[in-house]
Amino acid sequence: MATGVPNVKLRTGAEFQGVALGCAAGFTPEDIANSKGWFLSAIQAGYRTFDTAQIYGTEGSLGAAIKESGIPREEFKIVTKLPWHRCEYIERSFNESLTSLGVDYIDLYLLHFPQAISYPTGYDVPTDPQVILTGMKILEKPSFNDNWAILEKLYESGKAKAIGVSNFSVKTLEALAKTAKVTPHANQVEMQPYCTQNDLVEYCKQKGILVMAYSPSGHEKVRKDPTIVRLAEKYNVTANQLIMAWHVARGVMPVPKSADPVRQKQNITLPTLSPEDVAEITGLDKNERIVNKPDENGILYGWSLEQYGWEPARV
């Protein structure tokens, strides 16, 4: 039987819809302009939690869609993120997000990556893709501990109702805990049946940190897995619906991106899986990242697997 999506609760007491719409639209002006249309269709489908980021360029489209919907802002939960190249300008970047969204507070504000970088262009992202690839410089300072202290001030001010991190592991969360006054309210990571991160899920549960999963279906590679196909047929749902239901059963908030109204509705109309089927899907784990995948030298965006605190994939 298909059911509605249960809410999840942060340690602050705030309740978020248990599935969020991912708001990465592509990076062309046309992609970004068109996003407002599918944000509106998602609102009509019943979404009330939206996950964007300043680097996506869709904060303005999301804010416009929420305003155009006529639904009070208080009914929405907005998640956005600090770009990794603006760690030296956190308050400026945060205030720009407020302006772009057209709101006076953000429900959940995340550090997008543990590492801080700089570009030759400084505050702005380079327009030349080659400069983005070759001009990235990893900074020793500010550290994520330094950045977190500033997010704590935003939280204390009330402008950020909750704060969290993204792409953090148990290792980096433990390092953050050495200086943090506030334990992160959420940690958004790549997670899907080939990369279940069981230890991280358990650690976050113990600490009261909500786990959010980006690229939660694992794309076609995972959706076509024979076990996924078989179980989707058993529940008479799509592979995507099955995987979203698996996340929800684990207490994880999936963040699927879809611009299609039919799939948007499907992603919040989920079956209730048996514990045995949840365990079988979890058993597909290979620790294989599909989106943010390290190169042949084990390096991703200037950091090694060891720095991230990630284990290599199992072949």
Side-chain angles (χ1 to χ4, degrees):
M1 291 288 293
T3 65
V5 175
N7 287 348
V8 295
K9 186 177 285 190
L10 298 186
R11 294 196 322 279
T12 62
E15 291 195 7
F16 284 58
Q17 187 178 28
V19 175
L21 185 82
C23 297
F27 295 102
T28 70
E30 183 180 18
D31 288 335
I32 292 169
N34 290 340
S35 65
K36 188 180 84 165
W38 54 270
F39 294 160
L40 278 167
S41 69
I43 293 171
Q44 291 164 1
Y47 285 83
R48 293 297 180 267
T49 299
F50 289 82
D51 177 82
T52 186
Q54 194 171 68
I55 200 74
Y56 300 164
T58 57
E59 290 175 330
S61 297
L62 177 59
I66 289 173
K67 185 175 181 180
E68 191 172 315
S69 75
I71 297 170
R73 186 267 179 267
E74 292 74 22
E75 294 191 21
F76 294 92
K77 293 294 189 288
I78 299 172
V79 184
T80 194
K81 310 176 192 75
L82 172 74
W84 57 359
H85 69 288
R86 291 184 174 168
C87 293
E88 297 171 288
Y89 318 92
I90 294 177
E91 292 188 33
R92 175 184 170 187
S93 188
F94 178 83
N95 287 330
E96 284 189 7
S97 289
L98 290 178
T99 300
S100 295
L101 287 159
V103 298
D104 55 12
Y105 67 91
I106 289 167
D107 297 281
L108 177 58
Y109 192 58
L110 308 180
L111 291 178
H112 209 151
F113 276 88
Q115 67 268 52
I117 73 166
S118 68
Y119 288 121
T121 45
Y123 187 77
D124 296 316
V125 178
T127 55
D128 182 348
Q130 279 302 114
V131 176
I132 293 176
L133 292 172
T134 62
M136 177 193 302
K137 179 183 178 183
I138 302 293
L139 302 176
E140 290 187 14
K141 286 285 185 178
S143 67
F144 56 71
N145 301 78
D146 299 325
N147 298 333
W148 187 251
I150 299 175
L151 262 66
E152 288 177 330
K153 292 179 181 178
L154 294 173
Y155 175 56
E156 290 167 7
S157 76
K159 291 183 178 180
K161 300 299 183 183
I163 51 176
V165 294
S166 185
N167 296 296
F168 272 58
S169 63
V170 172
K171 176 180 178 176
T172 48
L173 285 169
E174 287 279 271
L176 181 61
K178 292 178 180 179
T179 60
K181 297 176 182 177
V182 178
T183 298
H185 297 111
N187 180 23
Q188 186 174 138
V189 297
E190 180 177 350
M191 186 174 289
Q192 29 80 6
Y194 284 4
C195 186
T196 63
Q197 303 204 62
N198 298 330
D199 290 347
L200 178 64
V201 170
E202 185 57 35
Y203 176 90
C204 288
K205 283 182 180 178
Q206 291 175 3
K207 299 293 183 181
I209 302 170
L210 172 68
V211 176
M212 304 173 68
Y214 67 79
S215 298
S217 75
H219 302 273
E220 284 297 301
K221 184 170 188 178
V222 178
R223 290 196 293 260
K224 290 184 176 179
D225 183 278
T227 297
I228 298 297
V229 172
R230 173 173 53 80
L231 290 175
E233 290 175 353
K234 172 182 174 179
Y235 287 94
N236 194 29
V237 294
T238 67
N240 222 57
Q241 285 174 293
L242 179 83
I243 297 170
M244 296 311 112
W246 168 76
H247 283 293
V248 170
R250 299 177 81 216
V252 171
M253 178 198 284
V255 186
K257 176 253 175 171
S258 178
D260 180 88
V262 173
R263 288 195 291 271
Q264 288 175 344
K265 187 66 175 177
Q266 288 174 342
N267 287 340
I268 53 172
T269 309
L270 305 179
T272 300
L273 307 184
S274 72
E276 294 78 15
D277 291 337
V278 172
E280 186 173 6
I281 296 169
T282 304
L284 297 174
D285 181 46
K286 304 175 183 179
N287 202 38
E288 180 182 355
R289 299 171 195 276
I290 293 172
V291 177
N292 280 321
K293 193 170 187 175
D295 64 20
E296 62 276 8
N297 298 313
I299 302 297
L300 175 70
Y301 307 134
W303 266 28
S304 66
L305 289 175
E306 183 180 357
Q307 286 173 295
Y308 280 109
W310 295 353
E311 295 294 326
R314 298 188 299 277
V315 179

